[in-house]
């Protein structure tokens, strides 16, 4: 017979043992029974009101089924953060799902070019006439006032808090009749939803001062989202530069963040170029006289060759001098609006981007559904392994606890 | 002694309380006797009995009548509480005194000397049993559990519970009838 084969018996077979055990049965003391009755009558209330550790543990104890939604909620939040911050659902390039509606316009001239997408910072493109005469334009967003460096150049930087804000940036004194190349940079801040209006004001100022827009880049954005940005490269008659800067400092929806005025004394360069031109012209006049006096064919051919070279030099110096004069007569002005704003992806639209349309609503609804499905998928992907591990640990803990209990009974003796 | 009611999860607070109270009144002394059999210490048995009823009260809504009778459920809670007490004793073995001889204090008060001798013999025989056998006897004759409920409390099959009980009873009989 195997050890645990059932042994048939009747309950009545144990009547003698029942009597024996009943005779030896222990009964609870009256005091204990009364005390326990009282505790039960109070529904063990005192244990729940003692405010001690046990009460705290009981108050924060959650039923097991509530752990699932809690884990799902946490996982969902984590997934949402991942999706929102990193575009974790693989958004299409060139679109801006769920983001602000963005208008982008660009125009450019020969040196500016048309710029699409993320706005770029302009870099100085002015050609120099020698390594020692570099012009510098610096943007200083802080409150520091700073003079630009460079041989033969002077400059000043201001900010919104400085007394130079309204077109009064100081420059070094210049001798009367001196030739100067002037340039300026102004950085403005404007609310995101007013960037477009500020840009229109800039265009208006340029027109009023008879200047031209070399290039511009405008990125408008919805309110409160960030990313509104614009930049302009302007060419302004030097005589109108201060008036232009003053007007730019007084735009309705913008305030000045920083401003830099720079000037470079090019008198020496200008005089040198002028002298070279005069020398070349004098040489040509002299050669013309020699040509008139020449008698042999050989003399005539030689003088004509020299004359050709002289005329080429005259043209070259005229071109150089003309470019220098243009730079003296027209100043470059760089305007930045919200230059510290983060650029945002561009969402190209083929029709009106403002107002409610069924298409936009459907698009938004689909995006919301896709994001919600993605969040749910990620939450499940997190929850299932976590839940399995947690269930395994709980089962292991229960099994170990019961095993220890049984062991305690076996060793009780 | 048996109470054929079950605490249903869908019950209101009032209903569940009434059922718990009925269960308490029908089981208090049985729980105490069972726990005392396991622990052999009156003070510890009183503490564990109180703990067992408090746990049962806190968990009364988790009782599932499809998994067994409420008395079996209650004795399972009491068993775990008693075993936890045994574990605690093992961890603090140096501080625990020897098991109390629960028969000594009543022997002098017993008017019927033969009956007292007989009771003492039974208690001595019970003490000589292995802990698991002593537990089986207590569950069967103090708690009045059926073999199925025994199996549920002990976590074994019903036939296995019957076999173990039969052997424990036989051993107890031999111990009681053995010449002193």
């Amino acid at each position: 017979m195997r050890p645990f084969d059932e042994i048939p018996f009747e309950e009545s077979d144990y009547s003698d043992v029942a009597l024996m055990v009943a005779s030896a049965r222990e009964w609870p003391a009256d005091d204990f029974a009364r005390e326990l009755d009282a505790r039960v009558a109070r529904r063990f209330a005192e244990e729940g009101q003692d405010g001690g550790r046990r009460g705290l543990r009981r108050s924060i104890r959650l039923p097991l089924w509530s752990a699932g939604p809690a884990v799902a909620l946490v996982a969902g939040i984590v997934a949402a953060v991942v999706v929102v911050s990193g575009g974790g659902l693989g958004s299409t390039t060139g679109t801006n799902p769920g983001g602000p509606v963005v208008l982008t316009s660009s125009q450019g001239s020969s040196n500016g070019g048309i710029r699409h997408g993320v706005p770029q910072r302009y870099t100085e493109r002015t050609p120099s006439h020698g390594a020692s005469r570099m012009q510098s334009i610096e943007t200083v967003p802080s409150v520091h006032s700073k003079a630009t460096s460079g041989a033969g150049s002077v400059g000043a930087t201001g900010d919104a808090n400085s007394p130079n804000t309204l077109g009064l940036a100081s420059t070094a004194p210049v001798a009367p009749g001196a030739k100067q190349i002037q340039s300026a940079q102004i950085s403005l801040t404007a609310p995101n939803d007013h960037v477009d209006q500020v840009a229109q004001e800039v265009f208006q100022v340029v027109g009023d001062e008879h200047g031209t827009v070399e290039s511009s880049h405008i990125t408008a954005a919805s309110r409160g989202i960030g990313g509104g940005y614009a930049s302009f490269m302007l060419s302004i008659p030097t005589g109108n530069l201060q008036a232009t800067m003053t007007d730019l400092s007084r735009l309705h929806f913008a305030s000045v963040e920083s401003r830099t005025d720079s000037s470079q004394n090019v008198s020496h360069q200008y005089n040198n170029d002028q002298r070279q031109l005069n020398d070349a012209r004098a040489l040509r006049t002299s050669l013309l006289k020699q040509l008139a006096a020449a008698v042999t064919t050989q003399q005539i051919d030689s003088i004509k060759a020299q004359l050709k070279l002289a005329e080429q030099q005259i043209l070259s110096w005229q071109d150089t001098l003309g470019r220098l004069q243009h730079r003296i007569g027209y100043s470059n002005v760089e305007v930045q609006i919200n230059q510290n704003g983060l650029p945002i992806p561009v969402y190209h639209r083929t029709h009106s981007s403002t107002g409610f349309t069924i298409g936009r609503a459907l698009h938004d609804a689909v995006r919301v559904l896709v994001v919600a499905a993605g969040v749910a998928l990620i939450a499940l992907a997190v929850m299932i392994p976590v839940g399995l591990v947690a269930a395994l640990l709980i089962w292991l803990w229960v099994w170990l606890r019961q095993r220890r209990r049984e062991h305690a009974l076996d060793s009780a003796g | 002694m048996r109470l054929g009611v079950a605490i249903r999860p869908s019950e209101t607070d009032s209903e569940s309380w009434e059922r718990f109270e009925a269960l308490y009144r029908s089981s208090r002394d049985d729980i105490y006797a069972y726990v005392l059999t396991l622990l052999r210490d009156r003070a510890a048995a009183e503490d564990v009995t109180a703990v067992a009823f408090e746990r049962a009260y806190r968990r009364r809504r988790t009782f599932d009548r499809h998994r067994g009778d409420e008395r079996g459920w209650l004795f399972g809670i009491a068993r775990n509480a008693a075993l936890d007490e045994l574990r605690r004793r093992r961890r603090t073995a140096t501080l625990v005194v020897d098991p109390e001889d629960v028969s000594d204090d009543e022997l002098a008060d017993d008017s019927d000397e033969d009956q007292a001798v007989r009771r003492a013999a039974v208690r001595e025989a019970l003490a000589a049993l292995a802990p698991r056998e002593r537990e089986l006897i207590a569950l069967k004759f103090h708690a009045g559990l059926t073999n199925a409920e025994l199996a549920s409390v002990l976590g074994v099959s019903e036939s296995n519970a019957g076999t173990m009980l039969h052997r424990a009873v036989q051993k107890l009989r031999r111990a009681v009838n053995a010449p002193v």
Side-chain angles (χ1 to χ4, degrees):
Chain A
M1 177 182 267
R2 289 175 298 171
F4 295 115
D5 282 348
E6 187 171 6
I7 298 173
F9 61 91
E10 297 295 335
E11 296 276 338
S12 58
D13 290 342
Y14 297 149
S15 56
D16 60 324
V17 179
L19 286 174
M20 280 194 306
V21 173
S23 70
R25 173 175 176 146
E26 299 291 340
W27 298 90
D30 291 342
D31 291 345
F32 165 70
R34 277 194 298 272
E35 183 186 349
L36 187 57
D37 288 348
R39 288 181 64 188
V40 171
R42 291 195 303 269
R43 304 187 185 189
F44 302 97
E46 67 275 17
E47 284 80 6
Q49 295 171 351
D50 56 11
R53 188 177 169 192
R54 294 183 63 189
L56 179 63
R57 283 174 54 190
R58 233 183 336 263
S59 65
I60 63 174
R61 183 182 299 160
L62 294 173
L64 196 58
W65 57 264
S66 68
V71 172
L73 181 64
V74 171
I77 290 172
V78 170
V81 168
V82 170
V83 168
V84 170
S85 63
L89 294 179
S91 59
T92 307
T93 302
T95 62
N96 183 25
V101 178
V102 177
L103 296 171
T104 299
S105 64
S106 297
Q107 54 179 278
S109 63
S110 58
N111 62 345
I114 298 175
R115 302 174 186 215
H116 292 286
V118 177
Q120 299 173 5
R121 296 281 172 85
Y122 288 96
T123 55
E124 177 56 37
R125 296 179 296 276
T126 306
S128 65
H129 291 269
S132 63
R133 302 181 72 101
M134 289 290 291
Q135 179 183 17
S136 65
I137 299 177
E138 297 184 10
T139 300
V140 183
S142 65
V143 297
H144 301 114
S145 184
K146 179 180 179 182
T148 55
S149 61
S153 67
V154 293
T157 301
D159 69 278
N161 299 321
S162 73
N164 300 326
T165 299
L166 302 178
L168 300 174
S170 61
T171 55
V174 179
K179 302 297 182 183
Q180 285 191 96
I181 295 176
Q182 296 187 36
S183 63
Q185 184 190 42
I186 187 166
S187 179
L188 307 173
T189 57
N192 286 318
D193 50 346
H194 285 155
V195 168
D196 200 36
Q197 290 169 276
V198 173
Q200 294 306 317
E201 288 184 282
V202 171
F203 288 132
Q204 183 67 38
V205 168
V206 172
D208 291 346
E209 301 297 341
H210 308 291
T212 57
V213 178
E214 299 283 323
S215 66
S216 67
H217 185 102
I218 305 167
T219 301
S222 301
R223 177 191 295 272
I225 294 179
Y229 171 80
S231 64
F232 306 86
M233 184 59 78
L234 311 177
S235 180
I236 303 293
T238 301
N240 298 339
L241 178 61
Q242 289 305 313
T244 301
M245 296 304 288
T246 301
D247 291 344
L248 291 175
S249 301
R250 293 174 174 168
L251 300 180
H252 285 99
F253 298 105
S255 58
V256 178
E257 185 179 6
S258 68
R259 175 181 161 179
T260 302
D261 288 353
S262 300
S263 64
Q264 180 184 4
N265 190 341
V266 292
S267 297
H268 178 73
Q269 181 185 352
Y270 182 85
N271 292 335
N272 183 56
D273 293 350
Q274 187 70 53
R275 188 169 53 250
Q276 296 283 358
L277 178 61
N278 291 338
D279 289 349
R281 282 174 176 167
L283 177 61
R284 187 182 66 172
T285 303
S286 172
L287 289 172
L288 286 173
K289 288 179 180 176
Q290 291 177 28
L291 183 61
V295 289
T296 65
T297 305
Q298 189 177 1
Q299 286 178 330
I300 292 172
D301 290 343
S302 173
I303 291 171
K304 280 185 176 177
Q306 293 180 53
L307 197 58
K308 189 176 180 181
L309 285 174
E311 287 176 344
Q312 286 177 348
Q313 283 187 331
I314 289 171
L315 288 174
S316 172
W317 285 115
Q318 281 178 335
D319 182 55
T320 301
L321 200 58
R323 279 190 277 116
L324 186 58
Q325 284 176 327
H326 182 270
R327 290 178 61 200
I328 293 170
Y330 287 86
S331 301
N332 287 331
V333 176
E334 184 178 358
V335 181
Q336 302 260 12
I337 301 172
N338 295 345
Q339 66 170 348
N340 294 323
L342 293 175
I344 57 177
V346 179
Y347 181 55
H348 297 285
R349 304 193 73 85
T350 57
H351 54 277
S352 171
S353 59
T354 60
F356 174 83
T357 64
I358 297 295
R360 288 179 63 190
L362 284 175
H363 177 270
D364 291 346
V366 169
R367 291 301 307 171
V368 168
L369 289 175
V370 168
V371 170
V375 169
L377 193 64
I378 293 171
L380 275 178
V382 173
M383 271 183 58
I384 289 175
V386 168
L388 287 175
V389 171
L392 181 65
L393 289 176
I394 290 172
W395 177 84
L396 195 63
W397 178 72
V398 170
W399 180 80
L400 277 175
R401 188 178 61 173
Q402 199 59 34
R403 184 178 170 85
R404 285 175 184 153
R405 282 172 172 163
E406 300 294 341
H407 184 64
L409 177 62
D410 289 336
S411 57
Chain B
M1 181 170 292
R2 308 301 302 273
L3 189 69
V5 293
I7 301 171
R8 294 191 295 272
S10 59
E11 286 176 334
T12 63
D13 269 351
S14 171
E15 290 171 336
S16 70
W17 163 249
E18 288 172 4
R19 289 181 180 276
F20 173 79
E21 194 176 27
L23 178 64
Y24 165 76
R25 298 203 179 284
S26 68
S27 309
R28 183 195 65 190
D29 295 348
D30 297 340
I31 290 286
Y32 173 81
Y34 165 64
V35 171
L36 181 59
T37 304
L38 283 179
L39 301 179
R40 299 162 67 192
D41 181 335
R42 286 182 187 276
E46 290 176 355
D47 289 344
V48 169
T49 300
V51 166
F53 277 110
E54 186 184 349
R55 284 185 189 174
Y57 174 73
R58 305 288 177 205
R59 300 175 189 172
R60 66 190 185 280
R61 293 191 176 281
T62 66
F63 169 68
D64 182 5
R65 61 177 169 176
H66 298 298
R67 296 172 62 182
D69 183 77
E70 61 184 355
R71 273 178 69 86
W73 169 74
L74 178 61
F75 274 88
I77 291 175
R79 181 174 191 265
N80 284 338
L83 296 188
D84 287 341
E85 173 63 18
L86 285 176
R87 284 179 60 201
R88 192 189 62 77
R89 281 188 188 179
R90 285 181 58 203
R91 286 198 296 267
T92 57
T94 55
L95 302 177
V96 175
V97 296
D98 290 336
E100 177 184 352
D101 186 355
V102 294
S103 62
D104 290 347
D105 54 348
E106 291 185 359
L107 188 57
D109 298 335
D110 205 316
S111 57
D112 189 338
E113 191 173 343
D114 289 342
Q115 196 173 0
V117 171
R118 178 77 174 170
R119 184 179 297 123
V122 172
R123 286 173 175 166
E124 194 172 337
L126 279 170
L129 292 178
R132 288 190 181 278
E133 294 167 336
R134 201 162 57 237
E135 181 188 24
L136 274 167
I137 297 294
L139 284 173
K140 183 68 181 176
F141 300 107
H142 291 335
L145 299 186
T146 65
N147 284 6
E149 290 164 347
L150 272 177
S152 173
V153 172
L154 300 177
V156 297
S157 69
E158 186 176 347
S159 61
N160 198 357
T163 303
M164 292 162 63
L165 176 66
H166 183 74
R167 289 178 177 166
V169 166
Q170 294 296 92
K171 196 170 178 181
L172 179 63
R173 279 178 176 147
R174 284 196 297 271
V176 170
N177 296 325
V180 180

